[in-house]
Amino acid sequence: MTTTDRTAPRTGLLTVDGATLHHEVRGEGPLLVMMPGGSADAGIYDAIAADLADRWTVATFDPRGYSRSPLDGPVTEQLPATHADDIVRLIEVLSPDGAPAALFGSSSSAVVALDVLARHPGRVSRVVAHEPPVVGLLPDPEAGRALFAAVRESFRRDGVAAAMTTMAEGLAPARGEDRADPEPTAFEAEAEAEAEAEAEAEPTARDPESIAPEPAAMAPEPERAAPEPAAPASSPQEKSQETPPEMPPAQAEVFRRMHANLPVFLEHVLCSFSGYAPDLAALKDSSAHLVVGVGRDSRTLLPAVAAEALARRVDARVAEFPGGHIGLTEDPRAFAARLRDVLLAP
């Protein structure tokens, strides 16, 4: 298989209970399913999947209700278990010989990865859960739940810009004494920058075409255009409300799709996924297959604090990844290299 053949996606549609999933497959070898978090879809992994396709059959997809994966009926509150069942069905189709798959999930999709491992341990060989925001394991769970409920309420009342401001203000370091630097982290700064961009553009509150990608706790941004594929994403301060004119058409389309997914994420995913209560006993039984990822630059923030608490409770290994909570978009090439090491480690 040539490099072009290996990295070019092969697309398909999979009928699952209540939805039809768009999925893309690259490469050859053992199956690796990469699950997008937040308002993202398969496009968030284009660069990373291409890098890993030399070693794995890399499957990406649009979660149910997002982008090219329509629901059979009206959107309702989404549950991690339903999304986990979708993943198991995808593995069954793409690994018909029954061989287990490796899973990677980030943020809200890391929650789904935990549910797959807890309920279907025989279907997975390794699960890498990058910063699952399981607020029930925080030192103050009620404060975490209240934050995400307030974000959703801000969205309902005043739209995305207000939700972004609520998120940025609420995501102060969970271990404030651990951070001497008074400057905001990139994670917080990005949320604040997006909120300012939203406010300046004065978008229609619920118009998906006029809202910017959710940068905060559970919605990574699409990769930015760059002269070379390995170049990191643009800084948050450089982003604008409009799709950058230099963005290639394919990435502009990813950007547009993520805009349109935001109402579903904020209304139907944010609270139910962050409020997920993992089966700690089941995860501990399968802890040899679980790696909990944390961002080098986000370890004092809510999702990473919750993730490390989970790792302690179930005796799972912790692996540090480049960047912050959305490190996979900040430097896709470096993130892919680290993920490769984690997947191949004994």
Side-chain angles (χ1 to χ4, degrees):
M1 181 179 289
T2 67
T3 300
T4 300
D5 291 340
R6 188 177 66 237
T7 59
R10 308 180 295 278
T11 63
L13 296 175
L14 174 65
T15 300
V16 294
D17 186 18
T20 301
L21 299 185
H22 169 92
H23 60 86
E24 302 177 3
V25 178
R26 295 171 174 85
E28 55 187 356
L31 180 62
L32 166 62
V33 179
M34 302 196 70
M35 302 180 289
S39 65
D41 64 21
I44 202 73
Y45 289 125
D46 282 350
I48 293 177
D51 269 11
L52 298 177
D54 65 327
R55 178 63 177 77
W56 289 273
T57 297
V58 183
T60 59
F61 67 99
D62 298 351
R64 60 169 55 220
Y66 280 8
S67 301
R68 299 154 293 185
S69 292
L71 298 170
D72 292 346
V75 63
T76 58
E77 190 72 358
Q78 297 297 293
L79 300 176
T82 304
H83 286 242
D85 290 343
D86 292 346
I87 299 302
V88 172
R89 178 67 183 131
L90 189 63
I91 293 172
E92 290 172 349
V93 169
L94 298 179
S95 185
D97 61 355
L103 291 186
F104 173 80
S106 183
S107 198
S108 58
S109 67
V111 170
V112 178
L114 296 176
D115 196 72
V116 173
L117 179 60
R119 295 194 296 122
H120 305 279
R123 301 302 312 186
V124 290
S125 55
R126 174 154 294 177
V127 170
V128 182
H130 184 266
E131 298 199 358
V134 282
V135 297
L137 299 181
L138 290 170
D140 187 351
E142 287 307 313
R145 295 186 186 100
L147 168 61
F148 291 124
V151 172
R152 183 171 63 178
E153 183 55 33
S154 293
F155 169 69
R156 290 173 173 175
R157 185 180 60 248
D158 299 316
V160 170
M164 296 301 92
T165 299
T166 303
M167 187 80 80
E169 292 175 349
L171 285 171
R175 303 190 206 98
E177 67 275 9
D178 288 355
R179 195 176 88 191
D181 184 355
E183 293 299 315
T185 66
F187 185 74
E188 297 165 315
E190 184 168 4
E192 293 166 2
E194 284 291 347
E196 291 171 4
E198 290 285 351
E200 289 172 4
E202 298 182 351
T204 302
R206 302 300 284 266
D207 177 8
E209 293 299 324
S210 67
I211 50 183
E214 162 69 83
M218 295 196 294
E221 62 172 324
E223 297 153 22
R224 293 282 153 180
E228 297 294 335
S234 300
S235 68
Q237 291 76 12
E238 294 171 344
K239 290 183 293 186
S240 65
Q241 177 68 18
E242 299 298 326
T243 302
E246 73 278 7
M247 181 177 284
Q251 290 201 8
E253 175 62 15
V254 175
F255 193 87
R256 185 199 65 77
R257 293 196 308 262
M258 287 184 63
H259 287 184
N261 294 336
L262 275 166
V264 176
F265 167 71
L266 289 168
E267 179 64 40
H268 299 290
V269 174
L270 176 65
C271 290
S272 55
F273 279 55
S274 62
Y276 172 77
D279 185 335
L280 298 177
L283 292 175
K284 191 166 186 175
D285 287 343
S286 298
S287 61
H289 302 285
L290 176 62
V291 178
V292 176
V294 294
R296 181 183 60 236
D297 301 331
S298 55
R299 294 189 80 151
T300 62
L301 298 182
L302 182 154
V305 171
E308 294 201 69
L310 170 71
R312 290 192 296 271
R313 294 284 294 273
V314 303
D315 296 332
R317 190 181 122 205
V318 174
E320 187 175 85
F321 280 77
H325 186 67
I326 55 170
L328 64 94
T329 68
E330 294 165 354
D331 189 344
R333 187 62 56 82
F335 199 95
R338 179 57 174 150
L339 180 57
R340 180 187 297 270
D341 290 343
V342 171
L343 290 171
L344 293 176

